[in-house]
Amino acid sequence: MVTGSSGFVGRHLVKKLKELNHEVLELDKTLGHDLTDHKCLSTFNTADAVIHLAARVFVPESYSNPRTFYYDNFVTTLNSLEFARKNKAKFIYQSSYVYGIPSYLPIDEAHPLAAINPYARTKLICEELTRGYAQDFGMKIIILRPFNIYGPGQDESFLIPKIISGIKSGKLELMDPNPKRDFVFIDDAVEALVKCLSYQGAFSIFNVGSGESYSVKEIVDVVKEISGHDSEIVYSNQSRINEVNDVVCDFSRIHEEMAWQPVVNLENGLFRTIH
């Protein structure tokens, strides 16, 4: 079962799972499934594994509509966990970057947790919920903490598709050119989720990232070079609330435990996304 199957990551994951001949149960609000209502899961018989992707994810909206973010992200996770518990299914939870302003780089899973926006707080709350289900009911649960996923089909409200669209249109307006992020291509992120299906460990948490960071301006420059468009770039030089200046992922744990590592570098990933 894949919840949020019609979302950005969900679409790519479902395609990959079907290529691998898995039988996939697709669950998404666009397909008429309201995962905040536990009864919607009663129409599904069973599953060997639940990959829970369904969530509200756009950070600015978490400030303007916090109640909906907290309610939807928590209740959908609770209902999905209950389905997995009753069906003795493995549970794979897609969390997020939950480390706040880094104390050190690169960031490993032992780094102190520090949510700095309502969206990240919902993820930490749900992580604790999954931990409780693992401890209380002996469920096999894996939490993935992807850093910044990008790739074809991502909504233009996110940074990289916004940059690509703006450069193609001839004018791009951005805020601060300096913050750096660790970007991981969608195919690599999907591969991490797929590897979780065969992982035999108990409750486990893994970072998923590239191990490199790039600034907003560096992304803009690479996109301009690949696309061949010489667009007007305007920076307001404004910083977002609780801005993080640099983020680098330490993915050594998932590499050691599951032999996962990113294979698509930024230039190749941007080329595939643009074209």
Side-chain angles (χ1 to χ4, degrees):
M1 173 178 284
V2 176
T3 73
S5 59
S6 299
F8 168 51
V9 176
R11 293 193 306 274
H12 287 268
L13 175 62
V14 168
K15 181 173 180 286
K16 181 66 174 180
L17 290 173
K18 289 180 177 179
E19 288 173 358
L20 296 170
N21 295 316
H22 289 286
E23 181 183 352
V24 184
L25 305 175
E26 299 180 44
L27 194 75
D28 196 275
K29 61 184 179 183
T30 64
L31 303 175
H33 304 124
D34 179 8
L35 196 51
T36 61
D37 179 2
H38 71 277
K39 293 177 183 177
C40 90
L41 287 161
S42 64
T43 59
F44 294 91
N45 294 323
T46 188
D48 300 307
V50 176
I51 302 178
H52 182 47
L53 306 176
R56 294 183 177 271
V57 299
F58 188 50
V59 173
E61 188 189 347
S62 75
Y63 282 101
S64 61
N65 197 5
R67 184 186 183 279
T68 301
F69 259 73
Y70 279 104
Y71 182 83
D72 285 7
N73 290 0
F74 180 82
V75 175
T76 58
T77 304
L78 176 62
N79 290 340
S80 300
L81 277 164
E82 268 293 282
F83 178 86
R85 180 183 69 84
K86 291 175 181 176
N87 288 278
K88 296 180 171 54
K90 174 180 287 188
F91 192 83
I92 300 162
Y93 178 62
Q94 176 117 303
S95 186
S96 183
Y97 177 85
V98 288
Y99 300 109
I101 297 172
S103 303
Y104 56 84
L105 296 175
I107 299 165
D108 58 17
E109 292 85 354
H111 188 285
L113 303 178
I116 53 175
N117 58 64
Y119 164 67
R121 292 184 201 283
T122 71
K123 288 297 186 179
L124 280 182
I125 289 169
C126 291
E127 281 195 16
E128 192 58 30
L129 180 63
T130 64
R131 187 189 303 273
Y133 266 72
Q135 292 175 350
D136 296 338
F137 306 111
M139 291 174 61
K140 285 188 175 180
I141 294 179
I142 302 169
I143 295 173
L144 292 186
R145 291 174 178 162
F147 281 46
N148 290 73
I149 304 174
Y150 74 99
Q154 189 175 29
D155 188 275
E156 287 189 9
S157 57
F158 291 86
L159 179 65
I160 285 181
K162 179 180 180 179
I163 288 173
I164 292 170
S165 175
I167 287 175
K168 284 183 174 180
S169 72
K171 185 171 182 178
L172 174 63
E173 296 181 2
L174 295 168
M175 296 172 69
D176 189 346
N178 299 311
K180 302 176 75 174
R181 294 290 183 271
D182 185 309
F183 295 96
V184 59
F185 189 64
I186 182 64
D187 289 8
D188 287 329
V190 163
E191 183 63 20
L193 287 162
V194 171
K195 281 184 175 290
C196 289
L197 293 173
S198 55
Y199 181 67
Q200 295 303 310
F203 182 79
S204 305
I205 299 174
F206 299 101
N207 286 342
V208 177
S210 70
E212 299 178 339
S213 67
Y214 294 87
S215 70
V216 173
K217 185 179 185 306
E218 286 172 322
I219 297 290
V220 168
D221 291 343
V222 175
V223 171
K224 284 174 68 176
E225 183 178 347
I226 293 172
S227 66
H229 291 275
D230 188 19
S231 306
E232 180 186 358
I233 314 296
V234 178
Y235 293 104
S236 68
N237 294 311
Q238 292 176 299
S239 292
R240 296 186 304 177
I241 300 172
N242 296 324
E243 183 62 271
V244 177
N245 291 324
D246 197 4
V247 168
V248 180
C249 174
D250 179 344
F251 60 86
S252 57
R253 179 182 288 181
I254 193 171
H255 178 62
E256 292 165 5
E257 298 270 340
M258 295 192 218
W260 177 91
Q261 64 182 29
V263 297
V264 181
N265 65 25
L266 183 76
E267 289 77 11
N268 188 15
L270 288 175
F271 181 89
R272 291 166 63 178
T273 304
I274 289 166
H275 294 290

